[in-house]
Amino acid sequence: MKIINIYLLNAALLFSGATALAQKQTPPTGGEPRNFTLPAKQEFTLPNGLQATMVPYGEIPKVTVSLIVQVGNVHETEKENGLADITGQLMREGTTNLNAKQIAEQAARMGGSVDISVGSNQTTISGSVLSEYGPELVKLLADLVQHPAFPPSEIERIKNDFKRSMNLARSQPGTQADTKFRMAIYKGHPYGRDLPTDAQIDAFTVEQVRDFYQRQFGAQRTGVYVAGKFEGSAMRQAITSALSEWQQGPPPRIEIAQPVTKPDMLLLDRPGAPQSTLIIGLPTIDPSHPDYTKLRVMNSLLGGSFGSRITRNIRENKGYTYSPHSTIAPRYRVADWSEQADVTTEHTGNSLKEIVNEIDRLQKEAPSPEELKGIQNYVAGIFVLQNSSPGGIINQLNFLDLHGLPDTYLTNQVQAIHAVTPQEVKDLTKKYIRPEDMTTVVVGDKKVITPQIKKFQAEIKKRAL
């Protein structure tokens, strides 16, 4: 009896301890959401059209500088597919004043590094160094953008590296699906081009690179962004001194795409594949539309977060996939929404069916206030994290400039996120996320998935009646 009493006593102590621990681990009630306060920024424009924005941020003695030029893949002609990437890579190889090694050494001496990246719409030349070297960093980046050497000795190596990169990407089912989806949605526009082939890359010459640079780069298309801890007058003087003499170049121009909304099913055969990669989506509104922030909240609830409905359905409940996700991809004055997932081959059709079922459910029934509140906290939290570094601030400011948005897009963002109502989520889903108008791409074992796809298509047709 004594032994039993001891066990009961121990059990009681363990239970009370666990209860106390659980009570201690209960998270505190969250505070009221607060809007983002954009630090006071200094803006000025040089006579050649270059625009500069400087924002003091934080107490860490480092400064980030980005020269963002409105030149990217969207500025390539059909015969220049990939030339912007080659141009950016060759710019890394030095200037008429410094070679690549000397540039790296100078940046390291300042306690940082420099980088060049090329995207669909823009080329970014950036660096981050100790605050005292901010003006020197501006001078170094200005040399890179104004006086690229484009050394002929390096172009074959760069082309070979680029070919390897493209061939690796081309072998990935995710890239195959994404490329096919873009080609369908943005047919006839650079956004809808295939990856450059070996033959296209091999044909590029240094002369073409230099011609592309001369035609596309210039001060009018460039914004300089400075964020971090710096001395304002010294940085302004450095920007003015280093970049005032740069050629004006062409005015900003991006051809606006005319996306295609078309119910279509595109299958890419991957014999023997144990899983299918699928994308289902359609064109949607871009960031300049008043509904865009609301649509982002809706997307996070539907499929754009780990706790979203589609993820819970086909990942947690059904086990069809490991990492499904939906995204809104803003480009320039256009955007597209899509759900993407790698699913087990035998459940390809079921996965598509469940994705559409979740869309239907959200079109018919508004989410509960509690479910929406959790998503709003998540979206607002991500937004706050995006503004928590100098590089993040620069990305946000560049986003405003590219899409023609006011500062209030940032400063009122948290308030706008939390203002979305359950009814608005339902209405937005019905208005913008329409399965009967979606393009679907599936990369998988055609022999196995075709019967599943036909069944899914039949169900979509019934839904549209």
Side-chain angles (χ1 to χ4, degrees):
M1 181 67 69
K2 188 179 291 186
I3 294 175
I4 294 175
N5 287 338
I6 290 173
Y7 279 126
L8 289 173
L9 177 61
N10 286 338
L13 289 172
L14 286 171
F15 178 79
S16 61
T19 303
L21 183 61
Q23 290 173 343
K24 288 179 181 178
Q25 291 179 338
T26 301
T29 303
E32 287 297 313
R34 293 184 297 175
N35 277 318
F36 169 66
T37 301
L38 184 66
K41 59 181 180 176
Q42 183 179 356
E43 297 175 289
F44 58 95
T45 302
L46 300 182
N48 56 9
L50 182 142
Q51 297 180 336
T53 304
M54 304 193 304
V55 180
Y57 181 85
E59 294 301 323
I60 296 174
K62 292 201 73 174
V63 61
T64 299
V65 180
S66 293
L67 276 66
I68 301 180
V69 192
Q70 197 181 95
V71 178
N73 301 117
V74 75
H75 296 93
E76 302 164 343
T77 66
E78 196 169 347
K79 292 183 179 180
E80 294 175 336
N81 190 16
L83 185 56
D85 300 273
I86 296 294
T87 301
Q89 290 294 323
L90 205 52
M91 287 179 79
R92 291 169 172 261
E93 299 305 315
T95 73
T96 54
N97 302 305
L98 299 168
N99 61 35
K101 182 181 179 183
Q102 290 171 322
I103 291 170
E105 287 174 346
Q106 282 207 16
R109 179 181 58 80
M110 299 182 225
S113 60
V114 298
D115 187 38
I116 298 176
S117 61
V118 177
S120 296
N121 301 313
Q122 298 174 317
T123 295
T124 301
I125 304 167
S126 63
S128 184
V129 299
L130 295 171
S131 296
E132 62 194 277
Y133 296 109
E136 287 188 55
L137 176 61
V138 170
K139 183 179 178 181
L140 183 60
L141 299 183
D143 191 27
L144 273 167
V145 76
Q146 292 178 100
H147 311 118
F150 298 131
S153 61
E154 303 300 325
I155 191 166
E156 289 305 317
R157 174 181 60 80
I158 285 171
K159 290 196 295 185
N160 287 334
D161 288 346
F162 191 44
K163 284 190 294 184
R164 279 192 292 270
S165 176
M166 290 298 97
N167 287 329
L168 178 61
R170 196 177 285 110
S171 70
Q172 304 299 312
T175 303
Q176 294 170 15
D178 178 70
T179 301
K180 197 72 173 177
F181 180 75
R182 287 188 297 99
M183 291 175 71
I185 297 290
Y186 298 107
K187 187 176 181 180
H189 188 273
Y191 291 151
R193 288 200 186 122
D194 200 351
L195 299 179
T197 65
D198 284 2
Q200 287 174 314
I201 296 169
D202 282 332
F204 292 140
T205 65
V206 170
E207 287 71 30
Q208 283 179 291
V209 170
R210 289 173 176 160
D211 176 67
F212 183 79
Y213 171 83
Q214 288 296 329
R215 285 187 288 111
Q216 302 293 350
F217 281 73
Q220 285 191 104
R221 288 188 175 181
T222 302
V224 178
Y225 299 90
V226 179
K229 195 170 180 62
F230 57 87
E231 206 283 297
S233 59
M235 292 299 285
R236 177 166 184 157
Q237 174 58 36
I239 293 169
T240 303
S241 174
L243 290 159
S244 287
E245 300 302 317
W246 190 22
Q247 64 181 12
Q248 192 175 47
R253 183 196 65 81
I254 295 178
E255 177 189 352
I256 298 176
Q258 302 296 321
V260 177
T261 301
K262 179 184 177 182
D264 202 0
M265 177 65 69
L266 305 170
L267 301 184
L268 300 179
D269 194 16
R270 198 163 174 251
Q275 62 183 22
S276 300
T277 298
L278 57 88
I279 297 181
I280 178 170
L282 75 172
T284 191
I285 55 175
D286 71 277
S288 65
H289 194 285
D291 284 345
Y292 186 75
T293 295
K294 298 175 185 178
L295 189 70
R296 286 177 50 235
V297 174
M298 182 282 300
N299 172 67
S300 291
L301 188 147
L302 178 62
S305 65
F306 192 75
S308 67
R309 290 187 170 190
I310 293 175
T311 299
R312 290 201 306 270
N313 184 328
I314 64 175
R315 182 187 190 276
E316 302 297 328
N317 298 338
K318 304 291 193 309
Y320 295 160
T321 179
Y322 183 73
S323 56
H325 64 282
S326 65
T327 57
I328 303 170
R331 303 186 192 274
Y332 181 77
R333 303 297 184 266
V334 293
D336 52 87
W337 177 92
S338 65
E339 172 73 27
Q340 307 172 34
D342 295 312
V343 303
T344 52
T345 297
E346 63 268 29
H347 292 300
T348 301
N350 288 334
S351 297
L352 289 169
K353 178 183 176 181
E354 292 303 325
I355 290 169
V356 171
N357 284 346
E358 290 298 343
I359 295 172
D360 282 344
R361 186 160 74 97
L362 197 54
Q363 286 183 347
K364 294 172 183 176
E365 298 176 11
S368 69
E370 293 76 21
E371 181 184 15
L372 178 57
K373 185 67 174 177
I375 290 295
Q376 288 168 320
N377 288 338
Y378 167 79
V379 176
I382 292 296
F383 173 74
V384 171
L385 287 175
Q386 289 172 335
N387 298 318
S388 62
S389 69
I393 294 289
I394 288 174
N395 289 339
Q396 294 281 32
L397 293 174
N398 176 57
F399 185 87
L400 296 185
D401 291 340
L402 178 64
H403 296 288
L405 302 171
D407 288 351
T408 51
Y409 179 87
L410 291 183
T411 56
N412 294 343
Q413 183 74 194
V414 172
Q415 179 182 343
I417 289 168
H418 283 281
V420 180
T421 67
Q423 184 64 40
E424 285 178 318
V425 169
K426 174 188 170 184
D427 294 343
L428 288 165
T429 308
K430 191 170 185 178
K431 183 175 182 179
Y432 296 116
I433 313 299
R434 308 175 306 277
E436 64 273 16
D437 291 333
M438 290 184 183
T439 294
T440 304
V441 179
V442 182
V443 181
D445 190 335
K446 200 170 184 178
K447 177 175 82 280
V448 178
I449 65 176
T450 295
Q452 302 178 49
I453 297 301
K454 286 182 178 178
K455 182 180 178 181
F456 169 72
Q457 287 178 297
E459 291 172 350
I460 288 293
K461 284 181 181 178
K462 286 182 184 178
R463 182 184 184 280
L465 295 177

